[in-house]
Amino acid sequence: MAPHTTADRAAELRAEISRHDHRYYVLDEPEIPDAEYDRLFRELQALEAAYPELCRPDSPTQRVGGKALQAFVAVRHQVPMLSIRTETDIGPGGARAFDTQIRRELGLQATDDPIDYACELKFDGLAISLRYEDGLLIHAVTRGDGQTGEDVTQNIRTIKAIPLRLAGTAPAVLEVRGEVYMSRPDFERYNNRQRAAGLPTLLNPRNAAAGSIRQLDPSVAAKRPLSFFAYGLGETRGWELPSAHSEMLDALLAFGLPVSAERAIAQGAEGLIAFHGAIAERRTALPFDIDGVVYKVNRLDWQRELGFRTREPRWAVAHKFPAQEELTVVEAIEVQVGRTGAVTPVARLKPVFVAGVTVTNATLHNADEVARKDVRVGDTVRVRRAGDVIPEVIGVVLERRPAEALPFTIPTHCPICGSPVVRPDGEAVARCMGGLHCRAQRKEAIRHFASRRALDIEGLGDKLIDQLVERDLVRDLADLFSLDSTTLANLERMGTKSADKLIAALEHAKTTTLARFLYALGIREVGEATALALAHHFGTLTALAAADAERLRQVPDIGPVVATTVQAFLQEPHNQAVIARLQAAGIHWVETAVKSPTDGGLLVGKSVVLTGTLESMSRDQAADRLRAAGAKVAGSVSKKTDYLIAGRDAGSKLEKARSLGIKVLDEAGLLALLSA
């Protein structure tokens, strides 16, 4: 064949195979036998092998392949990938409370029409963001912490339900948010093949989806039968958004992206309740796992008006289903000692299958909970997965209780280190007083310190931490940075190469941020959001350490309990010594001087919103500088906004700011304001 006819045939085969992939994996309407599909695929492979210049990144043959990765690369989301608030009231009251809240925030009266809501399923898989540029899939990123995720593009490309190139005229940039999942039939078929071959099986569809996408070798992911549903957007450019969420999903479907057909428009609270009930009745008949439904205000302009809380949109809520329950027997009750010394009773159960997962352990929370439920060894108990995730004992079948079953009591001494176990006044949790002398607390403290959202020390896994603590090589967090390659190489399952990698990871972890460092220290009551608030408010560790409880309470969302806990931690001599040793080991971050309200800066107390792309800095860097100057950085425009900073490709926020008469500054104006 002449070169030009070869190129034409390759293009024809790419289009034909992609069309059949869409019909098979998205529409579930195959129109040719597998043998014919395989013939087309082999023909395209042969052409691309003979003419390598014809092989394009969106070719169906490129879904599988590529070298195994050493690690996933972190990618920052251009638009935060937020999670949706979960409604704990699983009855009709949850839907009514959400509708009432939305109507109040929109200023609607009782006589106004019911609100239209887009109702969807809450899929039980792994959230993913797909970025298309000019229609071509560029990368795929996990949710991560909502701000930064992991690049899993190679594995996502193996999912045939996800188009490598969008259909029709695609926007310049289109970020699609959705869920990777494994259907129950595919899960069973896969496990049956694994059993027949004598190979390991997958635990449940949810873990199968998450575990497959986080495989460093894409050839492993390619063997897993994964699917995908789109349900939202991230960044978009060059596309005029529809006026409603439901229309946006229709547009994604037209681009060739799979969107669940199990969706509807509901009017008002009663419509939400009806949708929830209808899906609950059909839940077990669905071919995939769900743990609830999601309600979203359908009008996109109303979504923008309602805006966001710290980590979640105001215009959406997840409404869970009642957890599934099963009966099993308590074979033992043990206690676990956590990072803060909390002694938690755990029931060891006769294995039971609950909501798609084999459950062998269930938390009993604390002594009060054990006493209230009167759970004893030998009892037959009702077990459920709370929120379909965390197994818990919800009650005892008393008529099946053995005569010899005795009440359980929390031990008076720690089973790990022998230190006294004390229950502080006013607290439900008993705690081991051993501190870092207790190996269990030390191990958990190190695991937390090295975790991905703390200092992210790659290679410092559970088994290695166990060895470091059991051999007394690490007595506190600072000892980690005194380890050497020779010592590490002599540990089990280690070697010179692994030891050198860990030393390099420890060195890399020394460069961090104040917020991550505070979170890594494991201060009680201080999660990521609180650590970030403290870092932004004080700017430096010195200023934070010098603050008393009253000053700490000036930080937004920090109450008296957290303020007292933080002050006590930072003033405890042992903690001060460990922090000093960590800094002496080389842990560092960029400190910023924060102006107080008395400094009288132009930005103190002002509400600022950022939109578009800045040239001289990222939006995160701009936000940090604005906060350091005393401003409050918000995620959405409202009447309370003082300034909108509009970079390149600013979108709907700019339009809303202009309609509200809010002062708009470009990047030069921002720099001038910061200088002033």
Side-chain angles (χ1 to χ4, degrees), residues 550-625:
E550 184 178 350
R551 177 83 187 280
L552 286 162
R553 288 183 64 180
Q554 295 174 10
V555 180
D557 300 324
I558 290 185
V561 173
V562 178
T564 301
T565 301
V566 172
Q567 182 190 24
F569 182 94
L570 294 175
Q571 291 185 358
E572 204 281 322
H574 171 78
N575 294 333
Q576 292 176 342
V578 171
I579 290 171
R581 289 184 61 212
L582 287 168
Q583 290 183 289
I587 292 184
H588 63 281
W589 54 86
V590 177
E591 293 196 328
T592 57
V594 179
K595 293 182 179 181
S596 69
T598 57
D599 290 335
L602 293 176
L603 286 167
V604 171
K606 300 294 185 182
S607 177
V608 182
V609 175
L610 293 157
T611 187
T613 303
L614 303 176
E615 301 295 336
S616 62
M617 67 187 94
S618 68
R619 293 221 316 239
D620 283 338
Q621 290 171 328
D624 286 342
R625 291 185 63 180

Side-chain angles (χ1 to χ4, degrees), residues 94-426:
R96 292 194 178 102
F98 176 63
D99 181 58
T100 298
Q101 169 207 324
I102 295 298
R103 294 183 68 84
R104 182 176 63 250
E105 294 189 8
L106 289 173
L108 299 180
Q109 304 301 314
T111 54
D112 291 326
D113 290 338
I115 294 174
D116 280 352
Y117 293 100
C119 298
E120 303 166 11
L121 305 185
K122 187 176 185 298
F123 304 108
D124 207 8
L126 181 71
I128 290 290
S129 180
L130 308 175
R131 184 178 179 89
Y132 290 88
E133 293 183 4
D134 296 323
L136 185 67
L137 179 64
I138 300 299
H139 65 228
V141 184
T142 61
R143 183 195 304 277
D145 62 3
Q147 301 292 328
T148 302
E150 294 175 317
D151 187 336
V152 291
T153 309
Q154 286 200 58
N155 291 342
I156 289 297
R157 289 173 66 87
T158 68
I159 302 174
K160 293 186 178 180
I162 295 176
L164 300 178
R165 180 176 288 280
L166 298 177
T169 303
V173 173
L174 179 67
E175 278 190 355
V176 180
R177 270 73 193 270
E179 197 94 356
V180 171
Y181 70 96
M182 185 179 289
S183 73
R184 285 196 288 262
D186 283 338
F187 172 78
E188 292 299 333
R189 281 193 290 267
Y190 179 86
N191 274 353
N192 288 339
R193 287 197 302 269
Q194 292 293 98
R195 291 187 194 99
L199 297 173
T201 58
L202 299 171
L203 185 60
N204 57 62
R206 179 181 187 175
N207 287 358
S212 301
I213 294 306
R214 299 203 76 257
Q215 290 285 335
L216 292 173
D217 186 351
S219 67
V220 175
K223 297 174 183 175
R224 308 276 177 87
L226 299 175
S227 300
F228 175 81
F229 278 135
Y231 53 61
L233 294 178
E235 182 184 18
T236 63
R237 276 190 248 152
W239 188 37
E240 185 176 349
L241 284 173
S243 61
H245 180 85
S246 56
E247 295 170 2
M248 178 268 291
L249 293 180
D250 291 339
L252 295 184
L253 195 60
F255 285 137
L257 289 152
V259 177
S260 173
E262 300 289 345
R263 54 192 173 101
I265 304 298
Q267 282 75 43
E270 298 310 309
L272 298 180
I273 293 167
F275 180 81
H276 183 273
I279 295 298
E281 288 181 2
R282 299 178 47 238
R283 179 185 182 187
T284 56
L286 294 172
F288 42 78
D289 287 344
I290 61 172
D291 55 5
V293 295
V294 177
Y295 312 140
K296 301 174 181 177
V297 173
N298 197 34
R299 281 178 51 172
L300 296 185
D301 60 341
W302 279 359
Q303 288 188 10
R304 290 189 287 270
E305 182 177 342
L306 289 162
F308 299 84
R309 295 182 179 88
T310 305
R311 300 176 70 89
E312 59 196 23
R314 295 180 185 274
W315 41 264
V317 70
H319 195 170
K320 288 294 192 78
F321 291 129
Q324 297 179 22
E325 300 177 7
E326 296 291 345
L327 292 180
T328 189
V329 175
V330 178
E331 297 183 328
I333 298 178
E334 302 173 358
V335 295
Q336 291 181 340
V337 182
R339 172 173 55 85
T340 63
V343 176
T344 304
V346 176
R348 305 301 182 193
L349 306 172
K350 183 178 180 180
V352 61
F353 200 66
V354 184
V357 172
T358 300
V359 173
T360 56
N361 304 312
T363 179
L364 295 172
H365 300 290
N366 53 55
D368 287 347
E369 188 75 356
V370 178
R372 184 179 68 81
K373 294 178 178 175
D374 190 21
V375 181
R376 306 181 185 186
V377 174
D379 275 344
T380 296
V381 293
R382 291 171 24 236
V383 178
R384 72 176 177 188
R385 291 174 63 207
D388 282 0
V389 178
I390 304 169
E392 68 172 343
V393 172
I394 58 172
V396 176
V397 183
L398 290 176
E399 56 268 28
R400 298 191 187 183
R401 170 169 286 169
E404 67 277 11
L406 298 174
F408 173 80
T409 57
I410 294 287
T412 58
H413 288 78
C414 175
I416 306 299
C417 69
S419 298
V421 171
V422 176
R423 181 174 171 180
D425 290 341

